């Protein structure tokens, strides 16, 4: 398998008691070769020779599958809004917590007021929840994981901060457990390197908040030009469940 470049996880076993045998590996290698040739045949003409062929596998394959399925199974629509976070930034710095923790807490308060967004789609219906479990995207070198903070509305900002830091560290060190990655009813994705972006929903959830970078800008306040810290929020919703006026 190593010499043929075949991942054993992608091989269909035919041996005794579900074992992988040599013929399985060679068949997988032939299929991969046919697939690569097929991909080359469907490429637009005029491209240079590829320096590397990178198959979708492992975490990247899971992300690709989930994102495509999310877009296929939902009617996604995004709303963008620039907010003044000057006071919020000052408050969280005094409390010595990160911006992500403050956003997670703020989202839980917002979901209590607009509970329709705390829902998931299942088949021909959707489920609403009183308990708010917020998933937060954590970027890794080879992809991302989305650990979940359970029952956020019952926790203080300090408790949320401890949990966010703990889950982030576990995710980046590869020690996160499957139980810590499930059960989310809403997601927050912080991407502080861009002004704003259009996030893709986590599968089955009906809403996700994308958070751009925070930066000082000249704005008009009470007839005067002042410097305030501004940030763009991008809310993606599933239009099957959430109407535009509700999302706005």
């Amino acid at each position: 398998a190593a010499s043929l470049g075949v991942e054993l996880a992608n091989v269909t076993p035919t041996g005794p008691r579900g074992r992988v045998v040599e013929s399985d590996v060679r068949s997988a290698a032939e299929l991969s070769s046919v697939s690569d040739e097929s991909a080359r045949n469907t490429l637009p003409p005029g491209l240079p020779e590829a320096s590397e062929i990178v198959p979708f596998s492992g975490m990247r394959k899971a992300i690709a599958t989930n994102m495509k399925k999310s877009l296929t199974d939902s009617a996604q629509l995004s709303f963008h809004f620039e907010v003044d976070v000057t006071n919020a930034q000052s408050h969280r710095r005094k409390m010595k917590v990160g911006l992500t923790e403050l956003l997670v807490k703020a989202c839980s308060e917002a979901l209590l007021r607009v509970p329709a967004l705390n829902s998931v789609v299942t088949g021909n219906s959707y489920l609403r929840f009183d308990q708010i479990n917020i998933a937060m995207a954590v970027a890794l070198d080879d992809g991302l994981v989305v650990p979940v903070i359970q029952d956020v509305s019952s926790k203080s900002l300090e408790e949320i901060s401890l949990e966010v830091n703990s889950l982030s560290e576990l995710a980046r060190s590869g020690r996160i457990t499957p139980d810590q990655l499930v059960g989310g009813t809403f997601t927050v994705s912080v991407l502080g390197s861009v002004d704003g972006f259009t996030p893709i929903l986590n599968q089955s959830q009906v809403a996700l908040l994308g958070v751009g970078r925070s930066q000082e800008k000249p704005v008009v306040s009470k007839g005067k030009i002042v410097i305030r810290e501004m940030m763009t929020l991008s809310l993606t919703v599933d239009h099957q469940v959430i109407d535009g006026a509700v999302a706005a």
Side-chain angles (χ1 to χ4, degrees):
S3 65
L4 293 174
V6 173
E7 284 199 34
L8 287 175
N10 298 329
V11 177
T12 302
T14 63
R17 292 190 292 274
R19 293 178 180 173
V20 173
V21 294
E22 181 181 349
S23 59
D24 299 332
V25 176
R26 295 195 179 280
S27 295
E30 290 173 9
L31 284 172
S32 177
S33 176
V34 170
S35 177
D36 290 343
E37 184 62 32
S38 175
R40 282 193 288 271
N41 291 339
T42 60
L43 287 173
L47 289 175
E49 185 69 24
S51 59
E52 184 181 7
I53 297 176
V54 184
F56 284 112
S57 62
M59 181 180 293
R60 180 49 54 191
K61 184 175 183 179
I63 291 171
T65 300
N66 290 338
M67 293 297 96
K68 286 174 66 176
K69 185 167 176 55
S70 173
L71 288 170
T72 301
D73 293 348
S74 60
Q76 302 197 20
L77 179 64
S78 296
F79 299 77
H80 308 282
F81 190 64
E82 191 175 44
V83 296
D84 186 337
V85 294
T86 308
N87 294 338
Q89 289 280 38
S90 176
H91 178 68
R92 68 98 180 165
R93 286 167 184 145
K94 287 178 182 177
M95 295 195 66
K96 297 181 180 179
V97 300
L99 182 59
T100 298
E101 295 94 289
L102 197 68
L103 288 162
V104 167
K105 183 62 175 175
C107 284
S108 74
E109 295 296 319
L111 291 170
L112 290 173
R113 301 177 192 180
V114 192
L117 274 69
N118 195 49
S119 306
V120 301
V121 173
T122 171
N124 294 321
S125 60
Y126 63 97
L127 310 176
R128 287 188 179 179
F129 304 95
D130 292 330
Q131 180 170 313
I132 297 168
N133 298 342
I134 296 185
M136 56 170 193
V138 177
L140 306 177
D141 290 340
D142 56 349
L144 60 87
V145 293
V146 192
V148 177
I149 305 169
Q150 303 283 336
D151 199 11
V152 177
S153 61
S154 70
K155 295 175 179 176
S156 68
L157 187 55
E158 292 84 355
E159 290 172 325
I160 292 169
S161 180
L162 289 172
E163 196 161 347
V164 165
N165 291 328
S166 174
L167 288 171
S168 298
E169 173 58 30
L170 290 172
R172 294 189 176 104
S173 64
R175 294 180 290 120
I176 198 87
T177 65
D179 288 346
Q180 293 170 314
L181 299 173
V182 296
T185 58
F186 183 87
T187 298
V188 174
S189 179
V190 180
L191 193 57
S193 56
V194 297
D195 290 333
F197 63 105
T198 303
I200 297 176
L201 293 174
N202 266 332
Q203 205 170 315
S204 80
Q205 293 179 15
V206 305
L208 182 156
L209 187 74
V211 181
R213 63 182 174 181
S214 173
Q215 59 179 336
E216 291 186 336
K217 289 184 178 182
V219 298
V220 177
S221 176
K222 298 179 181 180
K224 295 182 179 180
I225 297 176
V226 295
I227 302 299
R228 304 290 290 178
E229 200 159 346
M230 307 297 291
M231 183 171 65
T232 297
L233 301 178
S234 305
L235 180 71
T236 295
V237 299
D238 187 344
H239 212 337
Q240 295 180 109
V241 178
I242 306 300
D243 291 329
V246 176

